[in-house]
Amino acid sequence: MDLITILQVLDATVRLSVPLLLACLAGLFSERAGIFDIGLEGKMLVSAFMSAAVAAVTGSVWVGLLAGIGASLVLAGIHGLASITFRGNQLISGVAINFLASGMTVLMAQSWFQQGGRTPSLRGAARFNDINLPYVDQLKDVPVIGPIYADLISGHTILVYVALACVPLTWWALYRTRFGLRLRAVGENPAAVDTAGVSVIGMRFAAVAICGVLSGIAGAYLSTGLQAGFIKDMTAGRGYIALAALIFSKWRPWYALMATFLFGFLQALALRPDLLEKVLFVKVQVQLLDALPYILTVVILAGFVGKAIPPRAGGEPYVKER
Amino acid sequence: MEKMPKWADVILIPVISLLLAGIISALVIMAIGEDPVKALWIMVDGATGSAYNWGYTLYYTTNFIFTGLAVAVAFHARMFNIGGDGQASIGGLGVALVCIYLPWPHWSLALLAAAVGSALFGAAFALIPAWLQAKRGSHIVITTIMFNFIGAALLNYLLVGPLKPMGSMEPATGKFPKVTSIPNFHDILGMFGIPFSRGAPANISFFIAIAACFAVWALIWRTRLGYEIRAFGHSEPAAKYAGINPTRIIVVSMLISGALAGMMSLNNVMGEAERLVLNSTEGAGFIGIAVALMGRSHPFGVFLAALLFGALYQGGAILSQDTNIPVQLVLVIQALVILFTGALDNMVRMPLEKLFLALRRKPAPAPKPTPAE
Amino acid sequence: MTDATPAIELRGISKAFGPVQANKDISIRVMPGTIHGIIGENGAGKSTLMSILYGFYKADSGEIFINGKKTAIPDSQAAIEAGIGMVFQHFKLVENFTVLENVILGAEDGMLLRPSLAKARQQLKQLAEEYELSVDPDALIEDIGVGAQQRVEILKALYRKADILILDEPTGVLTPAEADHLFRILENLKREGKTIILITHKLREIMEITDEVSVMRRGQMVGHVSTANTSPPELAELMVGRKVLLRVDKKPATPGAPVLQVRDLKVTDDKGVHRLRGISFEVRAGEILGIAGVAGNGQSELLEVLGGYERGTGEILLNGQPIDATLRHSNGRTRRESGISHVPEDRQREGLIMDFSAWENIAFGYHNAPEYQQSRLFMKNAAIRAATEEKMQKFDVRPPNPLLAAKNFSGGNQQKLVLAREIDRNPDLLLVGQPTRGVDIGAIEFIHQQIVALRDAGKAILLVSVELDEIMSLADRIAVMFDGRIMGERLPDKTNAKELGLLMAGMSGEAA
């Protein structure tokens, strides 16, 4: 296999990993604060629709991005209301949010654009275009390093770089700031946070809001970066894969990067089944590649390869004794 | 002292939640420029207006009874089986194998074998998540979600590969043999001289679903196993104290749950499609969550909720034919029902509890209150 | 003294949880620089009152004055700002954080952690020297003992510059030696001018350390006295509202053949901690063996192994027949079938299903019993209901309604329900844990009588209680447990609280 092909696969890996990474970090903030979120999928989906729709109407992808984040935040707000304010079941709330998003996006798309549940195709400033990093032209002809820089590192949309920057940022916020200390504490023992004079509700809503923003960016990336417009159910289970990656990474930011890139790589391979056959000399079923992230996560969950221990107060609404 | 009367918990709260979901749905319909009252009438008529429409409503109802019962049984053991969809589609595989690869003299025997096959396949697919929960503490919600996708990938592989008939371009099995075709309502009611629409898919598995309701009721409230399941669901430490084996309860209740979900495919695969197609469940496994929540995990409640959702699905389909409202409206209503009856339960419950407490605090009038009102 | 401004004054505090009135019009004054005890039975409302003062709960009505100034305390933040610190009975620590991280949580200086941690490290060193409060700042909470965890809680309060420190039942989890250490810390704090409120239900602690004492009973404040002018009997009477019968009327025991023989019983928990380190004892027919000890020294595990839901190794003989301790061939069900009944320590967590009705609870654990079976599959619900009605009469459970859910009975009646189920099966061996915890005084007498009656009927009883008085008045023989071992056996009329206390602290009686 030649360098070009490898670069193509890796480039696809980056593109496919980014939405997973953003959603995974979104889930990380929420779950570290003790709020389980299986509604990542729904939040990504509304944002994918809303950002594409607004970008199509206004012609500005940035306005679209803001609208997408806003829509995602609305669902995050519902999740917060249900699981923090009314102490409901977080899993059930997540299920409801996914259905809500799946239904509402088509309803709105049909009502606004009458194109069978999709938005018009985006072009020009209405979508995030690939940007070239400095010196691409100069370096292009240097062997090996040139193509790697030009095709793999450079030439992605701004959101890709934002997503990558989010990893060290998340790590820093979590382990080096007051906010992070309180966030982790509220996911482990909310009573400790409460009696220390910090609002549990405030911390958890903050976490859920960050989760909303990040899944909003993830959704916007899907419809305005990766593709040029919204189509029905376009998240295609990415929210669940992100959830799997979150468990796989044991709720840690750098591991989240690795897990999402692994799963993104599997998705990229699934697009090129011929390659795998060439390398391994056996035909690998595409379906196996599709299922692999889930199978790996189940194995991790089973604790046979390093046990994934979720935040201790995860999934439990905070109720003072009695 | 009870915080509020039982009837309020069982009837009032679901009804209020349903009303809230209805109101918001109406607002959504208005927002997309349609008339909610007209839409409601189209849906009611679409679901119940003719024998044909009833035939579809009851067909959907059958699906939802099975998946609703599946979720309900797991709920009683305090487990959230979100994998009903995967179990139902693998159950469909069981039905397909029974129907295609075994020779049957009569549909009744085929039905019996298919029931066993679907239940076994559904249960088997719930076994690994159950075992992992019981033995390794892996959260059943996450593992069953993962298994939904694993199941989908598996079926995808089988239906584009080994199970696809030669020369076919469609990812589906071939048509089942004629002999495995089970009677639909037209055939059954026809025996009693009652005319019923020939084309509607409601079939004999509706009665199997009703029987399953009774069986689950007896299981939960009359048998020792049901007693142990409920005890475990209420308190795991207490169950251990009482000598109830947690592993056994987790595994057995998930097997029952998976079997019920799997048996749904008697209706959609054997009764309607008469072959196995991709995505045969059409999300019915998830609707089971809404049905179980609304039905308060009681078989009778599940039956009523399934009927309601059956009407909703059929009504929604007709609505999308007759108006510009897409069929996804049903998804929105379903989401709202899950939200209000499940996650936002306390929003309705807490004010009501306060209300009942306030009513009780008032000194009761000296003579017995008149039965009126 | 009444001229000085109280550090804390509460006026007319009331608080209800749903239909339960936890605090009713309570007023109290606590003078600065004193140790003020608040004593009362379990469930008297002491913790609720102090949680209100700390802003953890919100009072329905009433006023709070701190140093003479009316102060609103809507949340813990406000309490901390008012100079109040609280050490809860169940520590509020993040288990997988370090001591340092726990101390600064909520009291960080600025956005970044590094400077806060450095400052806290410095201060902790000072506080440790000043008050004998040493803890390793970098240790994880889950790796240090309860005594150290409690010191972290005190450090947390002091780090927040608390002048008023509330401690809720601080000695419940401590050995007498650790409790002495705590009291020395409290004396040091008092010397530095801090005001301390000590919530407890133990008279001994009140007499030992407090200056003033307030007594609560059933959500109300029933008396304020200065410790120097009172006596334990007076306080006890205030607490329970009438003269307490400290001794149970019972005939001397006439022990028969050994019913339960335990040899070298060991339990190791999932974390690899040794809970039982090889204990041996026997209980004879017609006697009560009391197990004394501070909570958490292996008593719970002992009951659980014997009850069949905790794995152990070693030899257990019931009426000479071996019983499998490893649970490979036995469980709670086979234990019951072989004649062991068990009243567990925590009736709400284990003994009852709170959402089940009384009749469902009467079958609980015995739901496999032949008389409750219709067939192999089905239960005979009508028979269980009839049996329940009978048992409720016999054990005076009120209201005698088999259909009522367990959660709707009072603590005492819940306990009677459990006793009705366990004693009425006429077991050879009865395991009883904390039989009167959270039970009102009238029910205590009844429960004690039932236990003694079973003994007089020639049955063997193993009684575990953290209430030394209960052990001393009920048991025919006393074994003291410490750190998974039996430190010694004594006869109740040949020992005293002091000697037992030393054994409970892990010091052998002979050395004392």
Side-chain angles (χ1 to χ4, degrees), chain A:
Chain A
M1 209 182 335
D2 54 21
L3 181 66
I4 306 283
T5 322
I6 293 175
L7 282 181
Q8 274 173 357
V9 172
L10 290 181
D11 181 61
T13 301
V14 173
R15 287 167 196 275
L16 292 169
S17 301
V18 161
L20 301 180
L21 176 60
L22 284 164
C24 185
L25 292 176
L28 190 145
F29 274 100
S30 184
E31 301 208 350
R32 273 292 183 132
I35 304 292
F36 281 169
D37 193 354
I38 53 178
L40 294 171
E41 176 91 357
K43 287 199 273 281
M44 280 166 86
L45 191 62
V46 280
S47 169
F49 165 72
M50 198 54 97
S51 50
V54 171
V57 172
T58 62
S60 163
V61 70
W62 290 101
V63 181
L65 173 67
L66 283 181
I69 292 175
S72 170
L73 275 173
V74 169
L75 290 193
I78 294 176
H79 189 52
L81 192 74
S83 50
I84 305 169
T85 311
F86 289 110
R87 302 194 290 263
N89 185 317
Q90 299 168 7
L91 302 165
I92 291 174
S93 167
V95 171
I97 280 169
N98 287 341
F99 282 126
L100 195 60
S102 176
M104 283 303 284
T105 47
V106 177
L107 241 60
M108 286 192 286
Q110 184 61 20
S111 163
W112 292 0
F113 303 106
Q114 282 95 33
Q115 294 186 6
R118 29 167 90 230
T119 60
S121 276
L122 304 174
R123 64 190 73 192
R127 70 174 288 218
F128 283 107
N129 294 303
D130 294 350
I131 53 173
N132 279 329
L133 295 182
Y135 309 115
V136 162
D137 292 334
Q138 288 87 328
L139 282 171
K140 199 153 50 184
D141 299 325
V142 180
V144 186
I145 298 171
I148 290 180
Y149 184 70
D151 296 337
L152 183 60
I153 298 174
S154 173
H156 294 288
T157 69
I158 181 81
L159 293 185
V160 171
Y161 302 106
V162 169
L164 291 173
C166 277
V167 176
L169 213 62
T170 302
W171 174 85
W172 179 79
L174 218 52
Y175 296 106
R176 287 291 179 267
T177 69
R178 174 175 70 188
F179 176 77
L181 183 76
R182 294 176 175 186
L183 186 92
R184 286 182 289 132
V186 90
E188 293 288 336
N189 184 356
V193 176
D194 190 6
T195 53
V198 180
S199 161
V200 172
I201 291 177
M203 282 311 298
R204 288 195 160 168
F205 263 109
V208 167
I210 295 174
C211 171
V213 171
L214 288 174
S215 21
I217 301 175
Y221 173 81
L222 282 180
S223 63
T224 64
L226 193 61
Q227 281 161 38
F230 173 85
I231 51 169
K232 178 178 130 186
D233 286 329
M234 77 181 300
T235 42
R238 284 189 174 85
Y240 295 108
I241 300 188
L243 209 59
L246 183 57
I247 294 161
F248 208 74
S249 65
K250 300 176 185 172
W251 296 267
R252 290 172 298 183
W254 286 107
Y255 290 82
L257 179 70
M258 290 190 258
T260 49
F261 269 69
L262 172 65
F263 291 175
F265 180 64
L266 291 175
Q267 289 187 338
L269 280 184
L271 297 176
R272 298 287 305 271
D274 56 310
L275 284 182
L276 219 53
E277 204 175 331
K278 234 182 267 171
V279 177
L280 298 175
F281 304 107
V282 279
K283 193 167 175 326
V284 175
Q285 293 299 331
V286 184
Q287 291 85 3
L288 182 65
L289 290 175
D290 288 341
L292 211 49
Y294 306 110
I295 295 173
L296 288 174
T297 303
V298 170
V299 170
I300 284 284
L301 269 171
F304 295 119
V305 197
K307 190 140 180 70
I309 300 164
R312 267 169 247 201
E316 290 298 319
Y318 176 54
V319 188
K320 295 184 183 190
E321 284 122 305
R322 278 183 92 105

Side-chain angles (χ1 to χ4, degrees), chain B residues 222 224 227-228 230 241, chain C residues 342 360 367 376 379 422:
Chain B
R222 284 295 177 270
R224 225 176 339 157
Y227 178 90
E228 294 195 342
R230 284 184 298 130
Y241 155 81
Chain C
H342 181 187
E360 284 172 306
H367 51 281
R376 266 182 58 85
M379 290 175 75
E422 301 299 331

Side-chain angles (χ1 to χ4, degrees), chain B residues 196-261:
Chain B
F196 195 85
S197 163
R198 185 184 293 274
N203 58 70
I204 193 165
S205 52
F206 175 73
F207 299 101
I208 300 177
I210 302 285
C213 284
F214 282 104
V216 168
W217 174 81
L219 168 78
I220 296 295
W221 277 283
R222 284 295 177 270
T223 68
R224 225 176 339 157
L225 177 63
Y227 178 90
E228 294 195 342
I229 287 177
R230 284 184 298 130
F232 175 80
H234 281 297
S235 167
E236 187 172 343
K240 279 188 189 158
Y241 155 81
I244 295 168
N245 181 349
T247 306
R248 176 171 166 264
I249 297 299
I250 290 174
V251 170
V252 169
S253 52
M254 277 303 286
L255 288 180
I256 295 172
S257 178
L260 283 165

Side-chain angles (χ1 to χ4, degrees), chain C residues 413-475:
Chain C
N413 282 302
Q414 286 174 357
Q415 189 70 330
K416 284 195 234 167
L417 206 55
V418 178
L419 283 163
R421 179 180 74 209
E422 301 299 331
I423 291 185
D424 211 37
R425 299 204 70 88
N426 209 14
D428 291 340
L429 170 68
L430 179 71
L431 311 170
V432 198
Q434 321 298 347
T436 56
R437 179 183 277 171
V439 166
D440 49 290
I441 198 89
I444 290 179
E445 270 186 37
F446 182 84
I447 290 167
H448 283 173
Q449 282 162 11
Q450 294 299 323
I451 293 172
V452 171
L454 191 70
R455 178 202 75 164
D456 291 342
K459 308 297 183 180
I461 291 161
L462 182 71
L463 165 76
V464 168
S465 174
V466 292
E467 303 292 337
L468 204 49
D469 294 339
E470 182 165 72
I471 293 279
M472 295 202 33
S473 56
L474 268 184

Side-chain angles (χ1 to χ4, degrees), chain C residues 352-422:
Chain C
L352 296 167
I353 301 275
M354 300 308 279
D355 286 316
F356 271 14
S357 58
W359 71 266
E360 284 172 306
N361 271 303
I362 281 292
F364 194 51
Y366 300 97
H367 51 281
N368 297 300
E371 68 268 30
Y372 293 160
Q373 308 307 314
Q374 189 86 49
S375 61
R376 266 182 58 85
L377 219 54
F378 291 93
M379 290 175 75
K380 210 186 216 167
N381 291 350
I384 304 173
R385 256 175 242 146
T388 303
E389 245 169 272
E390 189 190 314
K391 286 180 207 284
M392 287 176 101
Q393 289 294 338
K394 210 161 150 188
F395 280 78
D396 190 33
V397 182
R398 277 177 266 182
N401 176 2
L403 300 177
L404 202 61
K407 63 182 174 194
N408 297 322
F409 289 93
S410 73
N413 282 302
Q414 286 174 357
Q415 189 70 330
K416 284 195 234 167
L417 206 55
V418 178
L419 283 163
R421 179 180 74 209
E422 301 299 331

Side-chain angles (χ1 to χ4, degrees), chain A residues 172 174-182 184-186 188-189 191-198 312 318 320-322, chain C residues 17 20 54 56-57 76-77 80 88 90 92-97 101 104-106 108 110-114 142 160:
Chain A
W172 179 79
L174 218 52
Y175 296 106
R176 287 291 179 267
T177 69
R178 174 175 70 188
F179 176 77
L181 183 76
R182 294 176 175 186
R184 286 182 289 132
V186 90
E188 293 288 336
N189 184 356
V193 176
D194 190 6
T195 53
V198 180
R312 267 169 247 201
Y318 176 54
K320 295 184 183 190
E321 284 122 305
R322 278 183 92 105
Chain C
F17 292 104
V20 182
Y54 191 65
F56 197 61
Y57 297 144
S76 299
Q77 181 64 45
I80 292 166
F88 287 85
H90 301 286
K92 311 288 184 197
L93 297 169
V94 183
E95 294 257 300
N96 57 356
F97 277 19
E101 285 174 323
I104 63 165
L105 178 66
E108 310 88 343
M111 283 280 293
L112 299 181
L113 285 184
R114 213 180 284 258
E142 57 198 1
R160 288 162 171 74

